[in-house]
Amino acid sequence: MKKIIILSLTFLCLISCSSNDSEMVDPDNGNGVITDNNGGDNETKDPIIGTWSLFLSTDGVEVDNCLKKTTFIFNEDNSYNQIEFNTVNNNCDEILNVTGEWTSKNNNVYELRRDGYTSGPDVSFEFSDDGKTMIVVRQTYKRQ
């Protein structure tokens, strides 16, 4: 009889708990933080974090190999690097290389502030459901 009770209690404990029972997404938070019921925070990555390479131009046409070198690099420490390439006199040249800080403003709007400036523009980003592409200023970038 004791074995049946112990097995029943063990079985009840196993089916009553799951690994994510204590986690929930705070819909009012807006910054990707998951709060558990014990008061702790577990940071999740912002969808912008990563290296993104230009893939489609504003008219939806795949860009050439030179323009594909154009990248945004968004780091977890809220810094970013934007590097642009273009063909100049038949050479693929870097035409822009800026660094700065990014800040999430919620709803996929980010402030991009270049180093040396006190403020920057708010820019809307659109991310695909699978997180592999982002659209900014009608240009499509692929996650590397």
Side-chain angles (χ1 to χ4, degrees):
M1 183 71 170
K2 285 184 183 181
K3 288 182 183 180
I4 293 174
I5 293 173
I6 291 173
L7 283 173
S8 296
L9 287 174
T10 304
F11 181 73
L12 281 172
C13 288
L14 288 174
I15 63 168
S16 66
C17 298
S18 70
S19 63
N20 64 356
D21 278 350
S22 65
E23 295 178 354
M24 64 183 138
V25 175
D26 183 352
D28 297 325
N29 191 325
N31 64 3
V33 174
I34 296 175
T35 306
D36 65 23
N37 291 336
N38 299 327
D41 288 339
N42 297 318
E43 290 288 331
T44 57
K45 285 187 178 181
D46 192 290
I48 203 169
I49 294 173
T51 300
W52 302 87
S53 296
L54 184 61
F55 180 68
L56 298 175
S57 65
T58 57
D59 57 2
V61 176
E62 188 171 345
V63 298
D64 63 31
N65 287 333
C66 179
L67 288 175
K68 284 182 181 178
K69 293 180 180 182
T70 296
T71 57
F72 274 106
I73 303 167
F74 294 97
N75 301 303
E76 289 185 47
D77 67 356
N78 291 71
S79 64
Y80 79 92
N81 188 332
Q82 178 184 4
I83 306 165
E84 290 187 20
F85 286 83
N86 206 346
T87 303
V88 179
N89 297 326
N90 293 325
N91 293 318
C92 183
D93 293 333
E94 183 180 300
I95 60 170
L96 178 70
N97 189 334
V98 298
T99 57
E101 292 183 9
W102 62 270
T103 305
S104 176
K105 300 287 208 166
N106 293 329
N107 298 324
N108 295 332
V109 174
Y110 296 85
E111 177 186 27
L112 301 181
R113 184 176 48 85
R114 290 172 64 168
D115 287 342
Y117 291 80
T118 57
S119 65
D122 288 347
V123 181
S124 293
F125 290 77
E126 183 179 326
F127 299 95
S128 62
D129 289 338
D130 63 5
K132 294 182 180 179
T133 61
M134 80 174 179
I135 299 172
V136 58
V137 193
R138 297 184 7 211
Q139 295 179 316
T140 304
Y141 290 78
K142 280 188 172 182
R143 184 183 298 277
Q144 296 301 300

